[in-house]
Amino acid sequence: MPKKQNRFFLYFRLAFVTLAFVLYPYIINQLPPLESLLDGIHPLVLVGGAIVFALIAIVGPELLNTEETPEPDLRQAFAQENQESIKNRLKSAIDQDKHIAIGSEYSPEELEGFKPTAPASGVSHRQQASLSPKWWQRWFKPTQIVPKVVADRLVQINGRRQLENLNTEQSTKIAANKPILEIFEEAKRRLLILGEPGSGKTTELLKLATALGEAALNNTNQPIPVIFELSAWRGEPMLAWMRDEIVARYGLSPQICEKWLTGDKIVPLLDGLDELGRYNDGIKEAILAINALQEHYSQQQAGLVICCRVRDYQNVKDEENCRIRLKGVEQAVKLCELTDGQIQDYLTNRNVSHLWVELRSHPGLMALAHSPMLLNLMPITYPDKLPPDWPQDREDCQKRLFDDFVNRKLYPQKMAIAQPLERYDREQARYYLAWLAASMGREDINKREFLIEELQPKWLETKQQFQQYRLIVGLIVGLIVGLIVGLIGGLIVGLDTDINSSIYLTESLDLSWQNIRRALSSGLYYSLIVGLIGGLIGGLIGGLIGGLIGGLKTDLKVKTYPNQGIWETGIKSLLTMGLAAPLCPLIFIIPNWATGQQVNILEAVLPGILFGVVLGYWSGGGDAFTRHFSLRWVLYRHGRIPLNYAGFLTEASEAGLLKQSGGRYRFYHDKLREHLASTIELKPEPFTDKNPEKWYSKSFFGFSIQNIGLLLSLALLLTTATSILKFNQDSVTAMSPVIQSADRIWFDRLTYPRWRSPDRYQVITFSTQDLRTQFPYELASRRIIALPWEKLEIRQGQLFLNGKLFKDDRLTLPPDFTQSPLTLGIDEYYVIGDNPNYDNLQTFGVVVPRDNITGQLMLRIYPFDRLGVIP
């Protein structure tokens, strides 16, 4: 949104909330016409209104001047964080022991004369705009493709890449020193990377991402490469899925993500197309979705890279048995298997020549050695010699190799310094890894990368586990929420969950001055909106807290260490509780003070603090924090994970079984993950959702019914919290024994008398201003005995209505109480007290206009021995 338009919208909101605040008395309290607006309003209310109006008129515009992080700054921050993530992942991919590099280092002299291929005819103008033929020479630095500290540790072999023309099916060898970025440019920035498992497809993709990322950092006109794991795709429109993946990983807004995707500000690198092969037509559907994306003019991507296994891509066919291809992708880099000579050279360079001699006598193991990933494992697993009784079958050899590799990592040679995983029972550690591998491969989870924060209830396997999880959540949430709504109500909230209810951790907080100003602006705005719905004082305070919490959300978040999102959620919850606890007592103090009732500070502080704790806990993410650790506790108690899960995963990464990048973990290779998963039998019990299409998930104007319901519930809670009466002495004496001095009674001031007409016998509270009788207090409580248009007369304690004696055992009048005959008007009611011994007969009974009625007494909530409905 342009700056001027954004300012206009903000000032429009400012005018709207200001007008709403001015009209608030008419909407809520039904005060007299405008000329008598100030009549009858307590001075404290006027002072509070003046302060709020001053904040809006004077401070508000300055606060609203704060804008979101400028897009160029956000783009640069995103590029830096994304590039750091790619480099960390590349380092973990090729810096573990010694790995096989596809080719040699690239010298500047070899690349000096490189010029990208000009776009062919027929390429759309959006694609042509993305192809900058001279940016390579300006920005590409070959030493940045692979960091030198990493490249120095690589064992180089001759090139094993082929360039395939997908239209003519012709293949040509690629020089070992030719950068993948140059190949990408020559392929018109649309490339397919093919290879067998373990051939290095992902590593090649990461090297391309690193080169593209360096260019994007140095030139803001170049797109940012983002790697997407297709294993997580479940049939959504491809653009929407990519947008949601960036939002989930980096915390950017969906609007900016979609804008960058459709504006060619991002190069999607789609890894793991073959991972969808386990599902019916999974690869086929993904290719069709990518083609649909590219055929849509406003969504097509100028740059695109896809990784897949050779056979999986070649075997995709339609109903007529014709191959389905990626449209617009004409070139493919195929990573070939190693030759015998390359295997021998590699083992010689690794100083394990004895393995080459033994490989020639083991055909099954030799077949594995043609895969770079499996060949790399052999010197790690067998630095001295092969074990006896080696199987001959290729699959059996692979299982044996993986088992021995895991054993060597779990049982390293004894050394003077502590080794990773040394303090864990080795069989238990193996099971932890196997369970993680099997769970990641489940059809309803299917992840290649694991983040502790992404643990969800669907990772549970049995109904017993889920029942325990739900019970723990119910007890914890019930105890916290029960401070306000009672333990039973809290248990209902905590137990109301299902296996499909996800845990959403809150974002981290940004406490910079710019963000604090934005938070104050957001808090001021939402406090007025919520105030109109839920009562002025309670709404202002509740909205201010909610706006501050929302306004402090960061624009960009990247998890750089394990458990980061969890602890940030916990810290945010504590901060919001600390913010809400001292403010919420004002909800109980100010209304009584402003209406002339006695204020007991001590009695208001305790419920206010408790309410603030609950409000801060809920709005700050305490519920998600509770659910996450409840889930981890259940998994720990059932032996699925260790108590210190982050520590275990980090040690497994140090041991070489996992690869860690920030707070994310991957197995050494997907083939190892599949092997470990096959070593245990995981049989998750089916959990069916009786109503998978939740009605409350529908949205209107960007707000889901669930969120609308939560907002209205909060408004109702705030209204309830500000509608607890403590009675003055006049009301206590006149209404005894129904009302006593220690009573706290909730009265309905939201619907009564606006939408519910007063009726006989109802106990009401009303304003005594402008009444003919002089009351000692500004508020009083009495019971209605006569309705509009009725004729009333009281003679020596006897009530006559419409000329007839009215008898009711519930009514007992003082024997000397008299009321001369009168006829009530259209909006008038006659009220009396319940105590026949009340000594001030002038205020025992009185005519009350409907406009003076402020609510009906409904429920006595304290003391607990008198809990019940007002008779």
Side-chain angles (χ1 to χ4, degrees):
M1 179 182 296
K3 186 174 182 180
K4 290 184 178 179
Q5 183 181 356
N6 191 34
R7 289 279 184 89
F8 173 79
F9 177 70
L10 291 175
Y11 281 112
F12 175 79
R13 291 197 311 180
L14 175 64
F16 169 76
V17 296
T18 304
L19 179 62
F21 177 78
V22 173
L23 295 179
Y24 176 83
Y26 306 105
I27 300 172
I28 301 298
N29 293 329
Q30 296 183 348
L31 289 179
L34 183 61
E35 59 270 13
S36 58
L37 171 64
L38 302 180
D39 293 343
I41 301 180
H42 193 280
L44 287 174
V45 176
L46 293 178
V47 172
I51 293 174
V52 172
F53 184 81
L55 286 173
I56 296 173
I58 301 172
V59 185
E62 177 62 25
L63 289 175
L64 292 175
N65 262 337
T66 60
E67 299 175 352
E68 301 291 331
T69 303
E71 186 174 326
D73 295 346
L74 190 60
R75 182 255 180 214
Q76 190 69 9
F78 171 61
Q80 290 174 349
E81 293 290 352
N82 180 70
Q83 184 71 352
E84 189 66 27
S85 175
I86 291 172
K87 283 186 175 181
N88 287 338
R89 186 173 166 188
L90 177 62
K91 186 175 185 299
S92 69
I94 63 178
D95 199 26
Q96 198 76 258
D97 298 298
K98 288 182 179 292
H99 282 63
I100 298 174
I102 291 175
S104 60
E105 287 269 17
Y106 317 124
S107 66
E109 292 77 12
E110 292 172 319
L111 298 175
E112 185 176 357
F114 170 75
K115 293 183 179 180
T117 303
S121 59
V123 178
S124 69
H125 73 276
R126 297 177 71 251
Q127 297 168 346
Q128 292 178 4
S130 69
L131 299 176
S132 304
K134 295 183 180 180
W135 71 266
W136 173 282
Q137 293 92 333
R138 295 197 308 266
W139 302 115
F140 177 67
K141 300 178 178 60
T143 55
Q144 292 175 335
I145 292 182
V146 180
K148 188 175 187 306
V149 67
V150 177
D152 289 344
R153 298 185 58 186
L154 301 178
V155 177
Q156 309 293 336
I157 63 173
N158 292 328
R160 56 185 182 87
R161 299 175 297 174
Q162 290 182 355
L163 184 65
E164 294 195 353
N165 188 310
L166 298 176
N167 293 328
T168 63
E169 298 186 356
Q170 293 180 343
S171 298
T172 56
K173 288 186 178 180
I174 302 174
N177 61 355
K178 188 168 187 176
I180 183 65
L181 182 58
E182 180 179 342
I183 301 171
F184 174 67
E185 289 294 336
E186 292 177 352
K188 305 173 188 176
R189 301 177 67 85
R190 294 184 180 183
L191 188 65
L192 181 63
I193 300 178
L194 299 174
E196 296 301 324
S199 60
K201 300 185 299 297
T202 299
T203 301
E204 194 78 346
L205 185 74
L206 289 168
K207 290 161 66 177
L208 174 60
T210 304
L212 289 171
E214 290 294 338
L217 283 174
N218 295 319
N219 186 348
T220 57
N221 293 323
Q222 294 303 317
I224 302 170
V226 178
I227 298 177
F228 298 92
E229 299 289 351
L230 278 172
S231 60
W233 181 75
R234 288 297 179 272
E236 309 94 323
M238 194 59 65
L239 182 74
W241 174 74
M242 291 191 297
R243 175 201 64 204
D244 294 342
E245 286 291 299
I246 301 176
V247 171
R249 183 156 187 167
Y250 293 97
L252 293 166
S253 71
Q255 295 79 11
I256 197 71
C257 292
E258 187 158 340
K259 177 183 177 181
W260 287 351
L261 282 167
T262 57
D264 292 332
K265 302 297 184 183
I266 287 176
V267 180
L269 309 180
L270 307 180
D271 193 16
L273 178 61
D274 47 89
E275 286 291 316
L276 297 170
R278 69 187 69 184
Y279 309 114
N280 294 331
D281 297 328
I283 299 178
K284 170 185 170 182
E285 296 301 327
I287 292 177
L288 293 177
I290 295 171
N291 288 343
L293 175 75
Q294 293 298 85
E295 291 170 354
H296 197 293
Y297 176 77
S298 65
Q299 298 182 5
Q300 63 182 227
Q301 304 296 301
L304 185 66
V305 183
I306 303 101
C307 282
C308 187
R309 298 178 184 178
V310 178
R311 296 177 192 173
D312 290 312
Y313 181 69
Q314 293 177 343
N315 293 337
V316 180
K317 297 181 179 180
D318 60 15
E319 291 76 6
E320 299 178 357
N321 204 33
C322 297
R323 282 189 60 185
I324 298 178
R325 302 175 182 269
L326 288 162
K327 294 183 180 180
V329 181
E330 300 176 356
Q331 303 288 336
V333 171
K334 182 179 178 182
L335 304 180
C336 306
E337 289 187 342
L338 300 175
T339 64
D340 288 354
Q342 290 172 334
I343 295 172
Q344 183 179 8
D345 291 343
Y346 171 74
L347 294 176
T348 301
N349 290 334
R350 291 290 299 269
N351 297 319
V352 285
S353 299
H354 64 277
L355 285 179
W356 171 246
V357 177
E358 295 181 277
L359 282 178
R360 289 186 295 176
S361 60
H362 294 85
L365 193 59
M366 175 64 83
L368 298 182
H370 290 285
S371 167
M373 184 272 296
L374 295 175
L375 176 61
N376 185 70
L377 288 185
M378 294 177 187
I380 301 173
T381 310
Y382 311 115
D384 301 322
K385 63 179 181 178
L386 290 178
D389 303 326
W390 192 263
Q392 298 299 315
D393 180 73
R394 187 183 191 281
E395 292 298 322
D396 292 338
C397 286
Q398 181 171 293
K399 292 179 181 178
R400 176 69 178 271
L401 176 61
F402 281 139
D403 280 335
D404 291 347
F405 171 73
V406 173
N407 286 336
R408 185 166 191 85
K409 294 299 182 180
L410 290 177
Y411 299 93
Q413 295 179 349
K414 293 295 183 180
M415 299 180 65
I417 60 175
Q419 297 297 300
L421 301 176
E422 193 172 67
R423 57 196 176 93
Y424 292 94
D425 177 80
R426 294 307 189 257
E427 289 304 314
Q428 187 65 57
R430 183 193 296 271
Y431 182 83
Y432 290 152
L433 293 169
W435 178 85
L436 177 61
S439 298
M440 290 174 65
R442 282 172 49 178
E443 183 173 351
D444 56 340
I445 297 174
N446 193 30
K447 289 183 175 295
R448 300 175 69 186
E449 198 170 50
F450 176 66
L451 190 68
I452 297 177
E453 289 90 331
E454 292 178 353
L455 276 173
Q456 298 293 341
K458 63 183 178 182
W459 287 64
L460 299 170
E461 303 156 51
T462 66
K463 293 181 180 178
Q464 180 189 18
Q465 291 177 4
F466 180 69
Q467 295 292 347
Q468 292 176 359
Y469 161 73
R470 189 164 64 172
L471 179 61
I472 294 172
V473 172
L475 288 172
I476 296 175
V477 176
L479 288 173
I480 297 174
V481 180
L483 294 173
I484 299 297
V485 299
L487 179 59
I488 295 178
L491 279 171
I492 293 174
V493 172
L495 293 173
D496 184 22
T497 186
D498 57 55
I499 195 67
N500 294 319
S501 61
S502 298
I503 301 171
Y504 297 103
L505 299 174
T506 54
E507 309 294 340
S508 57
L509 298 180
D510 178 6
L511 298 180
S512 65
W513 173 239
Q514 179 183 3
N515 223 37
I516 292 174
R517 293 179 66 199
R518 185 176 66 184
L520 290 173
S521 168
S522 175
L524 178 62
Y525 171 69
Y526 285 106
S527 67
L528 293 172
I529 295 299
V530 176
L532 294 175
I533 299 174
L536 182 59
I537 301 301
L540 286 175
I541 296 173
L544 180 62
I545 295 170
L548 281 170
I549 294 168
L552 288 173
K553 175 183 175 294
T554 55
D555 291 320
L556 177 68
K557 67 177 180 67
V558 178
K559 295 178 177 64
T560 57
Y561 57 87
N563 282 331
Q564 178 178 348
I566 301 165
W567 294 122
E568 285 178 349
T569 297
I571 292 172
K572 180 176 180 179
S573 182
L574 291 175
L575 286 174
T576 53
M577 285 191 285
L579 175 68
L583 288 176
C584 283
L586 299 177
I587 298 175
F588 299 87
I589 295 173
I590 294 179
N592 291 341
W593 191 10
T595 54
Q597 300 184 68
Q598 294 181 355
V599 177
N600 188 320
I601 300 297
L602 294 178
E603 291 183 358
V605 167
L606 180 59
I609 291 177
L610 294 179
F611 179 73
V613 168
V614 173
L615 178 62
Y617 166 83
W618 207 267
S619 58
D623 177 57
F625 186 84
T626 299
R627 292 177 186 272
H628 176 84
F629 277 104
S630 299
L631 174 62
R632 293 217 349 219
W633 178 257
V634 171
L635 292 174
Y636 162 70
R637 293 298 298 173
H638 285 266
R640 294 337 189 235
I641 64 174
L643 190 60
N644 182 3
Y645 203 18
F648 170 78
L649 295 176
T650 299
E651 289 192 37
S653 176
E654 293 171 355
L657 293 166
L658 299 175
K659 301 173 183 177
Q660 182 178 358
S661 177
R664 298 178 179 272
Y665 300 90
R666 302 170 66 94
F667 279 90
Y668 179 88
H669 193 273
D670 289 333
K671 297 296 291 183
L672 175 62
R673 174 175 58 82
E674 293 169 3
H675 169 74
L676 285 170
S678 67
T679 61
I680 65 171
E681 188 175 10
L682 199 64
K683 292 183 177 180
E685 297 179 5
F687 291 86
T688 57
D689 189 356
K690 297 180 180 179
N691 183 22
E693 294 295 331
K694 304 280 188 191
W695 60 269
Y696 52 75
S697 62
K698 297 180 180 179
S699 61
F700 298 93
F701 304 105
F703 295 93
S704 67
I705 294 178
Q706 187 175 17
N707 289 336
I708 294 173
L710 288 174
L711 179 61
L712 293 177
S713 299
L714 176 61
L716 180 60
L717 185 59
L718 290 172
T719 303
T720 301
T722 57
S723 302
I724 307 299
L725 277 179
K726 179 183 179 183
F727 297 92
N728 54 49
Q729 189 59 43
D730 174 77
S731 296
V732 171
T733 305
M735 295 302 298
S736 178
V738 173
I739 298 176
Q740 296 183 6
S741 58
D743 286 352
R744 299 295 181 270
I745 297 177
W746 176 75
F747 72 106
D748 177 13
R749 65 188 180 100
L750 188 64
T751 67
Y752 190 94
R754 296 179 187 85
W755 301 299
R756 291 195 304 115
S757 297
D759 202 357
R760 204 182 319 274
Y761 300 121
Q762 292 176 348
V763 180
I764 66 171
T765 180
F766 57 91
S767 170
T768 63
Q769 296 181 3
D770 299 328
L771 298 184
R772 299 175 184 175
T773 304
Q774 186 65 37
F775 280 80
Y777 297 96
E778 294 181 2
L779 287 177
S781 296
R782 299 289 190 273
R783 188 184 300 276
I784 298 175
I785 61 168
L787 305 177
W789 299 116
E790 289 186 336
K791 297 179 180 180
L792 174 139
E793 183 181 2
I794 300 177
R795 308 172 193 163
Q796 301 300 316
Q798 290 186 320
L799 174 63
F800 293 85
L801 285 179
N802 300 320
K804 296 181 179 180
L805 180 64
F806 185 84
K807 292 185 177 181
D808 193 302
D809 295 339
R810 289 175 290 184
L811 299 177
T812 304
L813 280 65
D816 52 351
F817 180 57
T818 300
Q819 172 63 58
S820 57
L822 60 87
T823 300
L824 297 174
I826 187 173
D827 281 325
E828 292 183 332
Y829 299 84
Y830 195 84
V831 299
I832 62 172
D834 276 9
N835 182 10
N837 297 319
Y838 184 70
D839 54 1
N840 187 3
L841 298 183
Q842 291 183 350
T843 60
F844 183 80
V846 66
V847 176
V848 177
R850 182 168 179 150
D851 288 345
N852 283 51
I853 299 176
T854 58
Q856 178 192 359
L857 275 61
M858 301 291 293
L859 179 67
R860 184 185 296 105
I861 62 174
Y862 184 84
F864 299 122
D865 59 346
R866 285 169 50 80
L867 181 68
V869 177
I870 301 300

